[in-house]
Amino acid sequence: MNDEEKQDDKELDEALKNAIKEAEEAENSRILYEAKMRFLGRMGIVMNFMKRMKDIPPEKRPSFGKQINALRDKLEAEFAAREERLKKREMQKKIETEKIDVTMPGKRTAKGALHPVTLVKNQLVDIFAGMGFEIFEGPEIETDYYNFTALNTPADHPARDMQDTFYISDNLLLRTQTSAAQIRAMEKKKPPIKMLSPGRVFRSDDDATHSPMFHQMEGLVVDRGITMCDLKGMLDEFARTMFSGNSKTRLRPSYFPFTEPSVEVDVSCSACGGKGCSLCKGTGWIEVLGAGIVNRRVLENCGIDADEYSGFAFGMGVERIAMLKYGINNIKLLTENDTRFLGQFKEEN
Ligand code: PHE
């Protein structure tokens, strides 16, 4: 072996030693991969040895080539072994840190509930749908005509003051009552009519029992021979289903431009059974809705022959019914979205 060959041998040996050292010291697969590329990559140390081949005398090339191949094989084996160990260690670590404790209690998802106004609205719809009423919804933005004029409430009518109206323009307003839907229903359909119209209404009014937005439920029946008796019978049935099996109703004379005669309907107090308590302010009765026999002028406004047909109409506040039914003393609780309050109401079956 001449000096040059000895030098080559030494370099190859050193490369092997360095590679083994780097492989041993690599802490993770990424560092190991980088080291491997330094030795075995396309620009790596082994490749550099190969490139030297052309400067070596031809008769020495085979043995030099063998040496390089042997070095490459050793390095490949070395890196592969180290890689295997590192992978195992990394997997072990992953298994330990990502361990799932299957005995930990799960996270509970809170269950939502229907809003008391929705509950009462659904109950009302159920009660009246059961009596054959059809749902008919009108728009929340109404014209003056449907909200007032057609309901026998012309511009100078004092009854307009009863309902502080939000006007959008001279002619457009936020409806103050679902009664506007009576007109729309009668324009669309000829008698017999039996319709129920739930929806939001708006009035410039705000205290513990009034809110600028609330819900009403309107009912309208038009047919031949409809009388106050039909209204009373239907109301008794409604009170029994909504409040309690022995609830009674009482009619008191009242005034609405679109009904004649008009009544205010009281239901016997379900808290005291009619004896008198704080809820009914000692009277034994609670006012729940307005109603009456449809004014013949209203029928005529809708092209219905008032000599042939008659009808009754009623309108109730959904919030008011909910407050009475559940003993809620402030209407604001219904719009505050406090889940501690709202979570108390459960659907009745
Ligand atoms: N619209 C009336 C109100 O809002 C209620 C009502 C409806 C009265 C139908 C009579 C007939 O006060």
Side-chain angles (χ1 to χ4, degrees):
M1 213 186 262
N2 60 27
D3 279 357
E4 222 168 281
E5 282 167 352
K6 271 188 201 151
Q7 179 61 25
D8 284 345
D9 257 10
K10 214 177 130 199
E11 275 186 44
L12 288 170
D13 237 25
E14 211 154 281
L16 178 62
K17 264 191 223 138
N18 285 344
I20 292 174
K21 189 164 170 262
E22 286 199 29
E24 278 308 322
E25 285 173 0
E27 279 168 24
N28 58 45
S29 342
R30 193 179 49 79
I31 296 177
L32 182 71
Y33 178 77
E34 283 163 9
K36 186 177 165 183
M37 285 301 110
R38 259 196 313 282
F39 289 93
L40 292 164
R42 272 197 299 133
M43 321 273 255
I45 289 168
V46 172
M47 223 25 172
N48 280 343
F49 283 125
M50 297 272 204
K51 281 178 197 156
R52 267 200 229 165
M53 197 72 97
K54 60 181 185 328
D55 307 326
I56 290 177
E59 70 278 12
K60 302 250 167 86
R61 280 181 196 165
S63 81
F64 187 63
K66 253 187 213 159
Q67 272 181 296
I68 295 174
N69 282 345
L71 171 69
R72 196 193 49 215
D73 291 349
K74 270 188 209 154
L75 292 188
E76 267 169 7
E78 195 63 40
F79 279 107
R82 179 67 182 153
E83 192 175 342
E84 172 103 10
R85 267 176 289 149
L86 270 184
K87 284 236 163 86
K88 257 194 201 145
R89 209 177 71 190
E90 281 165 11
M91 179 53 79
Q92 192 58 34
K93 233 193 211 157
K94 219 171 173 186
I95 289 170
E96 273 161 26
T97 53
E98 291 177 9
K99 212 185 275 172
I100 294 169
D101 181 355
V102 290
T103 63
M104 285 255 288
K107 277 187 202 144
R108 236 174 236 289
T109 342
K111 212 168 135 198
L114 290 180
H115 191 280
V117 169
T118 309
L119 282 177
V120 167
K121 188 182 114 184
N122 290 350
Q123 284 167 24
L124 289 170
V125 169
D126 276 355
I127 292 172
F128 289 104
M131 297 184 204
F133 283 75
E134 273 177 89
I135 304 288
F136 177 93
E137 281 179 276
E140 290 174 358
I141 295 178
E142 264 300 4
T143 62
D144 183 278
Y145 177 77
Y146 287 103
N147 195 79
F148 289 126
T149 312
L151 286 162
N152 195 34
T153 321
D156 56 355
H157 199 289
R160 285 201 180 202
D161 293 345
M162 283 160 49
Q163 302 180 355
D164 285 320
T165 311
F166 290 115
Y167 279 93
I168 294 169
S169 68
D170 279 351
N171 189 37
L172 284 180
L173 46 84
L174 296 182
R175 68 175 171 192
T176 60
Q177 49 189 357
T178 43
S179 302
Q182 285 186 33
I183 305 298
R184 290 187 178 273
M186 286 189 279
E187 280 181 354
K188 278 231 167 71
K189 198 171 180 270
K190 294 303 143 204
I193 295 169
K194 213 169 177 190
M195 75 99 189
L196 191 67
S197 194
R200 295 197 291 181
V201 299
F202 307 85
R203 292 180 197 181
S204 176
D205 209 351
D206 204 4
D207 61 35
T209 52
H210 296 87
S211 148
M213 184 284 291
F214 61 102
H215 296 76
Q216 279 191 333
M217 184 74 75
E218 190 85 8
L220 173 72
V221 174
V222 183
D223 202 351
R224 290 192 180 88
I226 295 291
T227 70
M228 203 65 128
C229 293
D230 298 303
L231 173 65
K232 173 85 166 100
M234 188 219 66
L235 289 171
D236 281 338
E237 176 61 22
F238 150 74
R240 281 193 294 268
T241 325
M242 193 62 185
F243 296 102
S244 90
N246 40 30
S247 287
K248 288 196 264 309
T249 61
R250 145 179 115 165
L251 307 183
R252 280 181 294 109
S254 185
Y255 175 78
F256 299 103
F258 35 90
T259 45
E260 183 57 40
S262 301
V263 291
E264 212 69 73
V265 181
D266 296 344
V267 172
S268 53
C269 180
S270 51
C272 62
K275 284 197 234 42
C277 66
S278 61
L279 184 67
C280 58
K281 298 191 185 85
T283 63
W285 295 95
I286 290 175
E287 185 190 315
V288 290
L289 59 101
I293 294 296
V294 180
N295 191 313
R296 57 185 295 130
R297 287 215 194 155
V298 174
L299 295 176
E300 282 158 8
N301 286 343
C302 301
I304 292 173
D305 183 348
D307 291 326
E308 190 179 350
Y309 294 103
S310 59
F312 69 72
F314 62 89
M316 58 182 95
V318 182
E319 279 81 353
R320 183 166 167 78
I321 306 259
M323 289 169 78
L324 291 172
K325 195 174 158 99
Y326 298 122
I328 300 165
N329 59 10
N330 192 323
I331 196 168
K332 299 294 179 297
L333 288 166
L334 294 169
T335 44
E336 276 169 357
N337 269 347
D338 185 336
T339 50
R340 289 169 305 178
F341 168 76
L342 294 173
Q344 300 174 65
F345 305 94
K346 294 273 160 336
E347 198 150 12
E348 288 170 24
N349 291 312

Coordinates of all heavy atoms in Angstrom, one line a residue, residues 163 176-179 182 203 216 218-219 256 258-259 263 290-292 313-316, ligand 1:
Q163 N -104.1 53.0 20.8 CA -102.9 52.2 20.4 C -101.8 53.1 19.8 O -101.9 53.6 18.7 CB -103.4 51.2 19.3 CG -104.5 50.3 19.8 CD -104.9 49.3 18.7 OE1 -104.5 49.3 17.6 NE2 -105.8 48.4 19.1
T176 N -100.4 47.4 14.9 CA -100.6 47.5 16.3 C -101.5 46.3 16.8 O -101.6 46.1 18.0 CB -101.3 48.8 16.7 OG1 -102.6 48.8 16.0 CG2 -100.5 50.0 16.2
Q177 N -102.0 45.6 15.9 CA -102.9 44.4 16.2 C -103.0 43.4 15.1 O -102.9 43.8 13.9 CB -104.3 45.0 16.5 CG -104.9 45.9 15.4 CD -106.1 46.6 15.8 OE1 -106.7 46.4 16.9 NE2 -106.7 47.5 15.0
T178 N -103.1 42.2 15.5 CA -103.3 41.1 14.4 C -104.6 41.2 13.7 O -104.9 40.5 12.8 CB -103.1 39.7 15.0 OG1 -103.7 39.6 16.3 CG2 -101.6 39.4 15.2
S179 N -105.5 42.1 14.3 CA -106.8 42.3 13.6 C -106.7 42.6 12.1 O -107.6 42.3 11.3 CB -107.6 43.3 14.3 OG -107.8 43.0 15.7
Q182 N -107.5 40.0 9.8 CA -108.9 39.6 9.6 C -109.3 40.1 8.2 O -109.9 39.4 7.4 CB -109.8 40.4 10.6 CG -109.9 39.9 12.0 CD -110.9 40.6 12.8 OE1 -112.0 41.1 12.2 NE2 -110.7 40.8 14.1
R203 N -96.4 48.5 19.7 CA -97.1 49.7 20.2 C -96.1 50.5 21.1 O -95.2 49.9 21.8 CB -98.3 49.4 21.1 CG -99.4 48.7 20.3 CD -100.6 48.4 21.3 NE -101.5 47.5 20.6 CZ -102.6 47.0 21.1 NH1 -103.0 47.4 22.3 NH2 -103.3 46.2 20.4
Q216 N -99.7 38.6 19.5 CA -101.1 38.4 19.6 C -101.6 37.2 18.9 O -100.9 36.7 18.0 CB -101.9 39.6 19.0 CG -102.0 40.8 20.0 CD -102.9 41.9 19.5 OE1 -103.2 42.0 18.3 NE2 -103.5 42.7 20.4
E218 N -105.0 36.2 16.9 CA -106.3 36.7 16.5 C -107.2 35.5 16.0 O -106.7 34.5 15.4 CB -106.1 37.6 15.3 CG -107.3 38.4 14.8 CD -107.5 39.7 15.6 OE1 -106.5 40.0 16.4 OE2 -108.5 40.3 15.5
G219 N -108.5 35.5 16.3 CA -109.4 34.5 15.7 C -110.5 35.1 15.0 O -111.0 36.2 15.4
F256 N -114.8 48.0 20.8 CA -113.8 48.0 19.7 C -114.5 48.5 18.5 O -115.7 48.1 18.2 CB -113.2 46.6 19.5 CG -112.5 46.1 20.7 CD1 -113.1 45.1 21.5 CD2 -111.2 46.5 21.0 CE1 -112.5 44.6 22.6 CE2 -110.6 45.9 22.2 CZ -111.2 45.0 22.9
F258 N -114.2 47.6 15.5 CA -114.5 46.5 14.5 C -115.4 45.4 15.0 O -115.7 44.5 14.2 CB -113.2 45.9 14.0 CG -112.1 45.9 15.0 CD1 -112.0 44.7 15.8 CD2 -111.2 47.0 15.2 CE1 -111.0 44.7 16.8 CE2 -110.3 46.9 16.2 CZ -110.2 45.8 17.0
T259 N -115.9 45.5 16.2 CA -116.8 44.5 16.7 C -118.0 45.3 17.3 O -117.9 46.3 18.0 CB -116.2 43.6 17.8 OG1 -115.5 44.3 18.7 CG2 -115.3 42.5 17.1
V263 N -116.8 42.8 23.6 CA -116.7 42.3 25.0 C -115.3 42.2 25.5 O -114.4 42.0 24.6 CB -117.4 40.9 25.2 CG1 -118.9 41.0 25.1 CG2 -116.8 39.9 24.3
G290 N -109.9 40.4 24.2 CA -111.0 41.2 23.7 C -111.7 40.5 22.6 O -111.0 39.7 21.9
A291 N -113.0 40.7 22.4 CA -113.7 39.9 21.4 C -115.0 40.6 21.0 O -115.3 41.7 21.6 CB -114.0 38.5 21.9
G292 N -115.8 40.0 20.2 CA -117.1 40.6 19.8 C -117.6 40.1 18.5 O -117.0 39.2 17.9
A313 N -115.0 37.7 16.4 CA -113.6 37.8 16.3 C -113.1 37.9 17.8 O -113.8 38.4 18.6 CB -113.2 39.0 15.5
F314 N -111.9 37.5 18.0 CA -111.2 37.7 19.3 C -109.7 37.9 19.1 O -109.2 37.5 18.1 CB -111.5 36.5 20.2 CG -110.9 35.2 19.7 CD1 -109.6 34.8 20.0 CD2 -111.6 34.3 18.9 CE1 -109.0 33.6 19.5 CE2 -111.1 33.1 18.4 CZ -109.8 32.8 18.8
G315 N -109.1 38.6 20.1 CA -107.7 38.8 20.0 C -107.1 38.8 21.4 O -107.7 39.4 22.3
M316 N -106.1 38.0 21.5 CA -105.5 37.9 22.9 C -104.0 38.1 22.8 O -103.3 37.9 21.8 CB -105.8 36.5 23.5 CG -105.3 35.3 22.7 SD -105.8 33.8 23.5 CE -107.3 33.4 22.7
Ligands
PHE1 N1 -107.4 44.0 18.4 C1 -107.9 44.1 19.7 C2 -106.7 44.7 20.5 O1 -105.6 44.6 20.1 C3 -108.4 42.9 20.3 C4 -109.6 42.4 19.6 C5 -109.5 41.5 18.5 C6 -110.9 42.8 20.0 C7 -110.7 41.0 17.9 C8 -112.0 42.3 19.4 C9 -111.9 41.5 18.3 O2 -106.9 45.1 21.6

